[in-house]
């Protein structure tokens, strides 16, 4: 069976989804899980885009050893130099350079002639090869490029030293037969193309990203690029969990497959959803909560008689345990720590202690703590960065009635350590809380999006609130959990403010160093 490499770009292309704003600790946690998922290449970010991205890529390159770590760069020397400073700590330093090759991009965006584009591509690859042993070159908008020009530029960048050639369907316009034909055309017309790895990168604007990716493999691609849960700009990228499971389930048809650890899919998907704040649609293939649910009477009857009548994928395949071991208020610290290790968490004794305290507090309110609850508690501890003064919620009270105006009273500790109290009204309880908090924080707030989802099942389930806003003109995202969704909403609001304050302090510190 032909081995297909998996290039995960959740931390780069996936983070470009509207409303996602990951900090360094969250990116590192996802990168560690992608390593357990067994991604061959992890695209950790775009080092030259910001100081925050640079630091995240550098930290991931220093930490992750089981997967190749790469970063994106434009075809300019300063981007390549910055990428080297971030990625030189990796086991196999890898850079991903891109340059647009379609007529519409060359004319309107680059304002370059085809000859100039070839020269820029060649020079950037040669320059990168001075330091990087692994250089991936991407023809942005490859599918809408002239086939003969694509052959020409790919031929030249291979001569310049590129080790991987990526041919993206950047705007998700291709059909499977067309996208596969592009790979076949290059395989048949580019001298020396067998010396490099061909990679497929598909967007999902027309819902064909996974199908297009499989068509590329059938026509010579040796690497596939995508994201967990199909995150990405606009309609997203090819969902890697769908692709890996499809190749596994249909191995009767396909003569190729990945080395992805399928039983890590559920945890990887859940972690990415939790930290990005992007909920997974219920009917999402492979990882949606309805993926293994059967409501129709005919389906239920068939399942009871023989599971394979309606189930081609088992929950166990992707790491979804049908029987979960739950903990309760009588569970001890040792059992809690063992469960944390079994779930894949590596926490210091101090963080285990803090997580255990949070577990005990929740166990006093909830009869049983599910694995979903534990994921939230343990992940929150694992991504804790160094403590800095931020806003801390002390109390929130809401008065509400059919015939009265909702009123919220909130107390917080300010970053200076002062106790602040305020009250305000709104058309609903959540708006009253937000209006009150806006009076307490120093800055201008504009709420862009707000959502609450249930973690687990039952009336005592945790509620997770996600808030997208601008704070002093800059976008930020906050999330938090509590059994009371109003408390979770207030904590998520402050989390968004605090994340922005921490980022500003880091940028200020970086300038003074």
């Amino acid at each position: 069976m032909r081995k297909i490499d998996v290039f995960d770009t959740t931390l780069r292309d996936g983070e470009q989804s509207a409303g996602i704003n990951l900090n360094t600790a969250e990116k590192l946690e996802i990168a560690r899980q992608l390593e357990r998922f067994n991604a061959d290449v992890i695209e950790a970010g775009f080092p030259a885009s910001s100081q925050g991205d640079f630091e995240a890529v550098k930290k991931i390159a220093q930490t992750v050893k089981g997967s190749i770590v790469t970063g994106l760069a434009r075809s300019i020397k300063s981007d390549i130099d910055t990428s080297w400073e971030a990625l030189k700590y990796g086991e196999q330093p890898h850079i991903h350079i891109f340059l647009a090759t379609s007529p519409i991009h060359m004319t309107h965006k680059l304002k370059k002639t085809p000859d100039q584009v070839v020269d820029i591509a060649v020079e950037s690859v040669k320059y990168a090869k001075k330091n990087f042993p692994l250089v991936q070159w991407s023809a942005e908008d490859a599918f809408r490029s002239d086939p003969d020009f694509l052959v020409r530029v790919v031929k030249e960048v291979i001569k310049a030293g590129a080790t991987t050639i990526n041919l993206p369907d950047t705007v998700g316009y291709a059909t499977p037969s067309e996208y596969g034909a592009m790979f076949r055309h290059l395989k048949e017309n580019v001298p020396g193309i067998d010396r490099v790895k061909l990679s497929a990168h598909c967007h999902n604007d027309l819902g064909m990203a996974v199908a297009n990716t499989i068509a590329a493999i059938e026509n010579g691609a040796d690497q596939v690029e995508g994201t967990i849960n199909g995150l990405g700009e606009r309609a997203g990228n090819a969902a890697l969990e769908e692709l890996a499971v499809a190749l596994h389930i249909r191995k009767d048809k396909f003569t190729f497959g990945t080395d992805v650890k399928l039983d890590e899919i559920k945890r990887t998907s859940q972690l990415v959803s939790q930290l990005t704040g992007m909920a997974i649609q219920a009917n999402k293939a492979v990882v949606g909560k309805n993926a293994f649910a059967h409501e129709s009477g005919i389906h239920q009857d068939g399942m009871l008689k023989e599971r394979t009548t309606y189930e081609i994928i088992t929950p166990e395949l992707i790491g979804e345990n049908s029987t979960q071991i739950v903990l309760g208020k009588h569970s001890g610290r040792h059992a809690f720590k063992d469960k944390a290790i079994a779930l894949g968490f590596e926490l210091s004794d101090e963080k285990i202690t803090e997580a255990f305290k949070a577990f005990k507090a929740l166990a006093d309110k909830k009869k049983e703590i599910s694995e979903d609850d534990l994921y939230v508690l343990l992940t929150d501890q694992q991504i804790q960065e160094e403590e800095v003064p931020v806003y801390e919620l002390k109390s929130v009270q809401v008065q509400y009635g059919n015939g009265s105006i909702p009123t919220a009273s909130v107390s917080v500790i300010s970053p200076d350590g002062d106790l602040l109290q305020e009250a305000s009204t709104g058309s609903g309880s959540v708006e009253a809380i937000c209006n009150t908090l806006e009076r307490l924080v120093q800055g201008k707030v504009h709420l862009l999006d707000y959502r609450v989802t249930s973690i687990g099942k039952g009336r005592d389930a945790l509620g997770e609130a996600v808030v997208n806003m601008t704070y002093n003109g800059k976008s930020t995202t906050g999330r938090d959990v509590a059994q009371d969704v109003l408390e979770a909403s207030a904590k998520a609001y402050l989390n968004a403010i605090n994340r922005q304050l921490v980022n500003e302090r880091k940028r200020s510190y970086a300038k003074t160093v």
Side-chain angles (χ1 to χ4, degrees), residues 242-319:
E242 294 180 20
L243 183 64
V245 169
L247 297 186
H248 173 79
I249 294 297
R250 293 309 312 273
K251 55 179 177 275
D252 61 313
K253 174 178 174 58
F254 301 127
T255 58
F256 39 79
T258 71
D259 283 347
V260 162
K261 292 182 179 177
L262 299 179
D263 60 359
E264 288 288 345
I265 285 177
K266 177 63 177 179
R267 170 162 162 70
T268 309
S269 171
Q270 187 176 21
L271 181 70
V272 169
S273 176
Q274 180 185 340
L275 296 186
T276 60
M278 297 290 281
I280 303 167
Q281 66 192 64
N283 64 333
K284 165 82 167 60
V286 178
V287 291
K289 69 178 183 180
N290 290 351
F292 305 105
H294 302 272
E295 186 168 330
S296 161
I298 295 174
H299 283 222
Q300 290 174 346
D301 180 63
M303 283 288 293
L304 289 171
K305 293 173 179 174
E306 171 53 51
R307 287 179 68 174
T308 56
T309 53
Y310 289 104
E311 190 174 84
I312 63 168
I313 308 167
T314 64
E316 293 78 15
L317 178 69
I318 65 165

Side-chain angles (χ1 to χ4, degrees), residues 12-68:
R12 200 276 301 170
D13 211 333
E15 202 204 8
Q16 291 174 203
S17 300
I20 295 180
N21 183 16
L22 299 169
N23 61 32
T24 297
E26 290 166 336
K27 284 190 171 186
L28 183 59
E29 184 61 21
I30 291 173
R32 285 185 177 128
Q33 180 56 32
L34 291 173
E35 186 179 19
R36 286 189 283 267
F37 175 72
N38 211 27
D40 296 282
V41 184
I42 299 172
E43 188 166 46
F46 190 168
S49 65
S50 69
Q51 184 63 28
D53 235 29
F54 174 86
E55 293 296 337
V57 173
K58 179 179 177 182
K59 185 72 173 176
I60 291 168
Q62 291 172 324
T63 305
V64 171
K65 302 303 178 185
S67 303
I68 294 171

